[in-house]
Amino acid sequence: MATTNVGALIERARVAAGLSQRGLADATGISQSTLSRIISGDRAAKMPEIVLIAQATGHTIPQLTGTGTVTERVQYAARATNGSGMEGMREALLGFLELNDYLDDQAVPATV
């Protein structure tokens, strides 16, 4: 599987938004040196940083990370029991996964 270059996607979003690196740094509160390292691939972007960059550039988390929607990414296997249908199980599973993605996108930490 090919690795997505998040830095290149962030750089593309920055340019499309008409922001300089300094402008993006000011809009996000992320230092320009950190943004430069993220864009060059020398440092991985953390989810809270990606959320801030998405807000500042008007892009979505999947656009900045190269991930598709939950339904495009998920593979599952299930066995229907108690009279429940596979379609209902699929919809319930996708609902939980979409909620999980939303919470990740909003930088809400997971709890145990």
Side-chain angles (χ1 to χ4, degrees):
M1 182 182 346
T3 303
T4 301
N5 185 342
V6 173
L9 296 174
I10 289 172
E11 177 66 1
R12 196 172 306 142
R14 179 191 67 77
V15 170
L19 294 169
S20 64
Q21 267 192 19
R22 168 59 52 206
L24 183 56
D26 291 344
T28 60
I30 302 169
S31 73
Q32 185 177 357
S33 62
T34 297
L35 279 172
S36 179
R37 289 194 317 273
I38 290 170
I39 289 168
S40 70
D42 292 337
R43 180 187 177 285
K46 297 173 184 166
M47 185 53 71
E49 294 165 333
I50 293 172
V51 170
L52 291 170
I53 294 167
Q55 291 170 342
T57 62
H59 286 73
T60 65
I61 303 300
Q63 288 172 321
L64 296 181
T65 59
T67 58
T69 64
V70 170
T71 54
E72 292 170 340
R73 294 188 327 248
V74 71
Q75 295 180 21
Y76 61 93
R79 179 175 59 188
T81 58
N82 300 330
S84 62
M86 291 300 291
E87 186 58 30
M89 290 176 58
R90 177 184 179 280
E91 292 301 317
L93 173 61
L94 289 175
F96 286 122
L97 292 172
E98 287 171 351
L99 174 60
N100 184 65
D101 263 14
Y102 171 78
L103 294 173
D104 281 346
D105 289 351
Q106 299 302 312
V108 175
T111 59
V112 178

